[in-house]
């Protein structure tokens, strides 16, 4: 047996999976991945129903899973294998029963999906495993051979918690879906609040962690956010009333205040939503209402992000279990940026406890830093937008903001953030309507604070956008740059925005007026801008596709023996097709980056023919719009229809421009807001550096950049440096991080693959981060 091959790695071994603690959307995706990848490796996989209670009780609570038993789980919220609080497991007697139930089934690999309490309990179970086996052997309940065959227990955890309260991880399973539920409510409330000029106080979950409140505040442009990690100043009642009153005087028709349920004062006294409402009503006379969201945040369909996160983490969890040795510490698999990581479980638990300790000791700065870089960046952006006044002294710098290319949800959030941060920096802010066409024709307008109120939740772009590029229009562009005194240009858009910036750089040799700082913020559903792993708008498009696929799969399940072929957008970039395939549980996803032949299509047809013999009598095929010049969506549909005669029938659906529409998701709102703010802060520095002899002159390579996320960091990268990293003909970055996820898509659809399915995350220690945060 070749242990280096993934399909034999689990032969002769058993894995059990349980969900514990509070439920979270996306847990089912993780369970599905553990089951299917475990079976793929040759292991037996068991469900443990009802969490630790089922582990203690045994019997029918521990059942062997099959490939078909996890079908149609992806789109379900909560956890289909159940979760329960368990007092019995806290006692040694209960853990002894649990150990007996595992040993009798030959299970020595346990995957636990839950919060810090559930994961701590799993580690305690592992540490005392040897002692439990010794007790069982003394009692005659297991033989010496059984004890020897189960001599050590491997533990791997995945964090399932909507609060995102587990340190060391950027996002826990369920957090993104909870934000979706919250934003649905916020968007609905915003319309009625504007109608009646009301103030709304929204209370969200987060007894010990303010992540949901903080990101909600950023995503909806809240006037104030209360979180437990950073209590407001002693005179906060006066400050909040002053800010709300000033907002109304600027013309705002509504105010939104977000409060985490665990918000406190500096002294540790609770701040309640009712108290805030009474304060505003009594002092300002504003019509104020309270909405407490409660458990609606836990419910509903998981977002595309949580499905992909759960699937990736499930795969990595199985590989971590099967690669573990007796000396390997219990670990947590999670995400840092877009990278899978394995982190020592107890180091993360300690780090999470240290946050609570820092808050108790009123070291609130430490608490923010211990939450991690993502949390700290969110907090800094919120303060930049909500706690800075427009200075009376101006910088005399003028920044222009424009959108180029196709519209993308989240553009307005980036525009709003850039305009407001620019104003707080003392800059004059201009909006250019209709992209480079506006720059050519003079469609340029000065923008003020109130003009971008309420923009975060609006789809598309309020400034308008065109695909026209600047080349051959230099005289008009130069004239308007001079006329309006533009010192810096922020371009928000897709590949056309990148090309437009490149052309501006080329034009510098002829026109000195183009020697100004230029920055591109990637915003396109295609997610094909070089220099960034993610683009604003791609997450919204992905959720639109996933939601449609859910409905289509439901239809196929009802009619039986039906296969749907769905075409997605993306140009030559297969990001949407691949990620939607992962999120919706597709049988195949055809993309340009991975060439396919008529033989591959035939293999897929035969695969679906075999699938129709099982209890899962439906199929879902995705095709990127430019996957292949000859094998069009119509061709694939006709091929499947012909070859599937008598076995299944076929339908097709071209999703089209609905992928570009709709309200932006919380991720796109938050991502756009942060990138807009970071871009302006970059301009503030770049303009000072380029200011010479009373004017701006910037012609170095680092004066024209792309601002994007690469792996774990938001980076500023020179456009000229990125020019060599693209396939210009097909508008594709040469390095696309998500391509390695295609092997996971295939394995979860029951294909044998030769590619690596693990992301090969190595165990990373976080003690250094802890000391660094404490030192600060």
């Amino acid at each position: 047996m070749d242990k280096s091959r993934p399909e034999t790695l689990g032969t002769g071994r058993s894995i059990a999976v349980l969900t514990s603690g509070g439920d979270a959307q996306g847990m089912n995706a993780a369970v599905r991945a553990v089951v299917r990848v475990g079976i793929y490796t040759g292991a037996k996989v068991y469900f443990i129903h009802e969490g630790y209670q089922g582990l203690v009780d045994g019997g029918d609570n521990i059942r062997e899973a099959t490939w078909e038993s996890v079908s149609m789980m992806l789109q379900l919220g909560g956890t289909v294998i159940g979760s329960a609080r368990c007092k019995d497991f806290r006692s040694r007697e209960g853990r002894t029963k649990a150990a007996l139930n595992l040993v009798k089934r030959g299970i020595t690999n346990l995957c636990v999906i839950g919060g810090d309490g559930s994961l701590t309990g799993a580690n305690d179970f592992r540490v005392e495993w040897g002692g439990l086996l010794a007790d069982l052997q003394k009692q005659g309940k297991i033989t010496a051979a059984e004890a020897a065959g189960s001599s050590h227990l491997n533990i791997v955890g995945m964090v399932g918690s909507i609060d995102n309260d587990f340190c060391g991880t950027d996002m826990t399973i369920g957090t993104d879906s909870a934000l979706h539920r919250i934003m649905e409510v916020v968007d609905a409330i915003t319309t009625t609040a504007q109608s009646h000029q009301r103030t709304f106080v929204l209370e969200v979950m987060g007894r010990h962690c303010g992540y949901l409140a903080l990101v909600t505040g950023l995503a909806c442009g809240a006037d104030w956010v209360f979180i437990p990690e950073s209590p407001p100043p002693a005179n906060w009642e006066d400050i909040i009333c002053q800010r709300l009153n000033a907002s109304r005087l600027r013309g705002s028709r509504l105010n939104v205040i977000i409060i985490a349920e665990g918000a406190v004062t500096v002294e540790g006294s609770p701040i309640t939503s009712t108290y805030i409402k009474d304060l505003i009503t009594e002092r300002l006379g504003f019509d104020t209402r309270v909405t407490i969201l409660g458990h609606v945040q836990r419910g509903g369909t998981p977002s595309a992000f949580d499905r992909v996160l759960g699937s990736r983490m499930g795969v990595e969890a199985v590989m971590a279990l099967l690669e573990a040795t007796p000396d390997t510490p219990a670990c947590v698999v999670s995400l840092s940026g877009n990278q899978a990581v394995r982190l020592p479980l107890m180091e993360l638990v300690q780090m999470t406890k240290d946050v609570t300790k820092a808050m108790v000791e009123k070291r609130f700065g430490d608490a923010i830093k211990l939450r991690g870089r993502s949390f700290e960046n969110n907090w800094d952006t919120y303060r930049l937008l909500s706690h800075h006044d427009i200075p009376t002294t101006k910088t005399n710098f003028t920044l222009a903001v424009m959108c180029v290319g196709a519209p993308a949800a989240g553009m307005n959030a980036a525009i709003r953030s850039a305009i407001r941060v620019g104003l707080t920096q003392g800059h004059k802010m201009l909006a250019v309507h209709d992209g480079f066409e506006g720059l050519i024709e003079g469609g340029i307008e000065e923008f003020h604070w109130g003009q971008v109120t309420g923009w975060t939740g609006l789809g598309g772009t309020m400034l308008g956008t065109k695909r026209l590029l600047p080349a051959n229009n230099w005289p008009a562009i130069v004239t308007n740059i001079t006329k309006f005194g533009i010192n810096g240009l922020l371009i928000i858009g897709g590949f056309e925005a990148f090309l437009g910036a490149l052309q501006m750089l080329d034009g510098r040799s002829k026109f000195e007026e183009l020697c100004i700082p230029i920055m591109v913020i990637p915003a396109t559903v295609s997610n094909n801008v070089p220099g960034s792993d993610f683009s604003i708008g791609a997450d919204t498009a992905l959720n639109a596709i996933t939601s449609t696929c859910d409905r289509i799969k439901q239809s196929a399940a009802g009619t039986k023996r039906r296969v749907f072929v769905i075409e997605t957008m993306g140009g030559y970039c297969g990001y949407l097709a691949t990620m939607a395939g992962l999120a919706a549980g597709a049988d195949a996803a055809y993309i340009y980056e991975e060439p396919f032949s008529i033989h591959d299509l035939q293999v897929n047809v035969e695969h679906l023919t075999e699938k129709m013999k099982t209890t899962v009598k439906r199929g879902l095929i995705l095709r990127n719009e430019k996957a292949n010049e000859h094998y069009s969506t119509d061709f694939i549909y006709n091929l499947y229809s012909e070859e599937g005669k008598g076995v299944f029938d076929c339908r097709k659906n071209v999703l089209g421009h609905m992928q570009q529409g709709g309200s932006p998701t919380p991720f796109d709102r938050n991502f756009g807001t942060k990138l807009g703010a970071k871009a302006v802060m970059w301009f503030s520095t770049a303009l000072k550096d380029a200011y010479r002899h009373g004017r701006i002159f910037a012609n170095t390579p680092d004066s024209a950049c792309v601002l994007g996320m690469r792996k774990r960091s938001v980076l500023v990268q020179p456009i000229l440096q990125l020019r060599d990293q693209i396939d210009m003909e097909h508008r594709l970055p040469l390095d696309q991080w998500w391509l390695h996820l295609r092997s996971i898509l295939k394995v979860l659809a029951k294909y044998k693959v030769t590619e690596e399915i693990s992301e090969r995350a190595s165990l990373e220690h976080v003690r250094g981060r802890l000391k660094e945060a404490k030192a600060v």
Side-chain angles (χ1 to χ4, degrees), residues 191-271:
T191 56
T192 182
Q194 284 179 325
S195 300
H196 299 278
Q197 297 191 62
R198 283 181 177 145
T199 296
F200 267 88
V201 182
L202 277 85
E203 183 179 307
V204 300
M205 284 185 170
R207 189 174 297 113
H208 304 294
C209 179
Y211 185 87
L212 289 179
L214 178 54
V215 175
T216 299
L218 278 177
C220 74
D223 295 274
W224 198 288
V225 172
F226 292 90
I227 62 172
E229 292 87 347
S230 185
N235 62 334
W236 67 269
E237 291 102 328
D238 298 330
I239 298 172
I240 193 173
C241 289
Q242 289 168 6
R243 290 194 178 279
L244 294 180
N245 195 46
S247 170
R248 291 295 175 95
L249 293 175
R250 285 196 296 262
S252 176
R253 291 183 59 84
L254 80 156
N255 298 107
V256 176
I257 296 164
I258 309 294
I259 177 172
E261 60 181 333
V264 292
T265 64
V266 175
E267 291 76 25
S269 302
I271 300 175

Side-chain angles (χ1 to χ4, degrees), residues 403 411-412 415 433-434 447 451 455 458-465:
C403 296
M411 281 180 162
N412 288 319
I415 296 165
H433 296 278
D434 299 323
F447 259 47
Q451 287 174 271
W455 278 29
L458 302 177
T461 166
M462 297 296 288
L463 296 184
T465 182

Side-chain angles (χ1 to χ4, degrees), residues 7 124 165 216 342 469 474 491 575 580 625 650 671 695:
E7 61 268 31
D124 293 343
D165 56 355
T216 299
R342 299 179 189 176
L469 295 176
W474 297 126
I491 308 173
Y575 175 82
E625 59 183 341
C650 201
F671 194 42
R695 66 190 185 97

Side-chain angles (χ1 to χ4, degrees), residues 159 164 166-172 332 334-335 343 348 371:
V159 189
N164 202 29
F166 199 73
C167 288
T169 63
D170 279 356
M171 287 286 274
T172 57
V332 169
S334 188
L335 211 62
L343 303 168
L348 300 189
R371 282 287 181 216

Side-chain angles (χ1 to χ4, degrees), residues 40 78 189 240 261 305 307 330 364 368 412-413 513 520 672 728 752:
Y40 175 80
I189 281 175
I240 193 173
E261 60 181 333
F305 178 89
R307 300 185 200 194
F364 300 113
I368 294 283
N412 288 319
E513 292 84 353
V520 174
M728 192 65 77
K752 295 290 183 185

Side-chain angles (χ1 to χ4, degrees), residues 322-511:
L322 298 182
E323 291 168 5
T325 68
D327 298 324
T328 304
C331 75
V332 169
V333 292
S334 188
L335 211 62
S336 179
N338 67 355
Q339 303 291 296
V341 291
R342 299 179 189 176
L343 303 168
L345 191 157
M346 292 315 295
E347 286 186 26
L348 300 189
V349 169
Q350 184 58 50
M351 203 168 176
T352 303
K353 289 179 178 176
D354 283 350
V355 176
T356 304
K357 184 180 178 185
M359 289 192 284
V360 170
E361 295 175 355
K362 300 183 181 180
R363 294 183 289 109
F364 300 113
D366 287 352
I368 294 283
K369 290 184 180 300
L370 284 164
R371 282 287 181 216
R373 185 169 49 192
S374 174
F375 191 98
E376 188 177 6
N377 286 341
N378 284 324
W379 180 247
D380 290 343
T381 305
Y382 159 70
R383 289 184 58 80
L384 201 57
L385 284 163
S386 300
H387 290 264
H388 281 74
D389 295 319
I390 299 173
T392 53
T393 305
K394 306 300 181 184
T395 62
N396 295 321
F397 293 141
T398 300
L399 291 180
V401 182
M402 65 192 295
C403 296
V404 175
M411 281 180 162
N412 288 319
I415 296 165
R416 170 189 173 274
S417 176
I419 295 288
R420 289 194 167 179
V421 173
L423 292 173
T424 65
Q425 294 296 299
H427 307 320
K428 182 178 181 180
M429 299 303 297
L430 302 179
V432 182
H433 296 278
D434 299 323
F436 282 110
E437 185 177 299
L439 197 58
I440 294 164
E441 298 178 358
I444 302 169
E445 175 188 1
E446 183 176 358
F447 259 47
H448 302 285
W449 189 276
Q451 287 174 271
V452 291
T453 297
W455 278 29
T456 52
L458 302 177
T461 166
M462 297 296 288
L463 296 184
T465 182
K466 302 279 180 152
R467 295 183 183 273
L468 179 69
L469 295 176
N472 305 320
N473 294 286
W474 297 126
I477 289 175
V478 166
T479 297
N480 283 320
I481 285 177
T482 304
K483 177 182 175 182
F484 289 91
I486 296 173
N487 304 127
L489 184 62
L490 175 60
I491 308 173
I492 303 169
F495 207 86
E496 287 88 356
F498 181 81
L499 291 179
L502 265 179
Q503 291 182 5
M504 294 280 284
L505 276 176
D506 292 338
R508 283 178 172 180
S509 60
K510 298 177 183 177
F511 299 95

Side-chain angles (χ1 to χ4, degrees), residues 46 61 98-99 106 187 215 239 306 314 371 377 382 401 525 547 549 554 570 573 577 583 621 657 669 706 712 727 752:
Y46 291 85
N61 288 305
D187 286 347
V215 175
I239 298 172
D306 273 329
R371 282 287 181 216
N377 286 341
Y382 159 70
V401 182
V525 301
S547 176
C549 288
Q554 196 171 40
C573 182
I621 305 295
H657 283 77
R669 299 184 198 200
V706 170
R712 303 185 188 184
D727 172 358
K752 295 290 183 185

Side-chain angles (χ1 to χ4, degrees), residues 702-713:
D702 62 357
S703 64
C705 298
V706 170
L707 179 65
M709 177 180 281
R710 298 301 294 267
K711 295 185 177 178
R712 303 185 188 184
S713 304

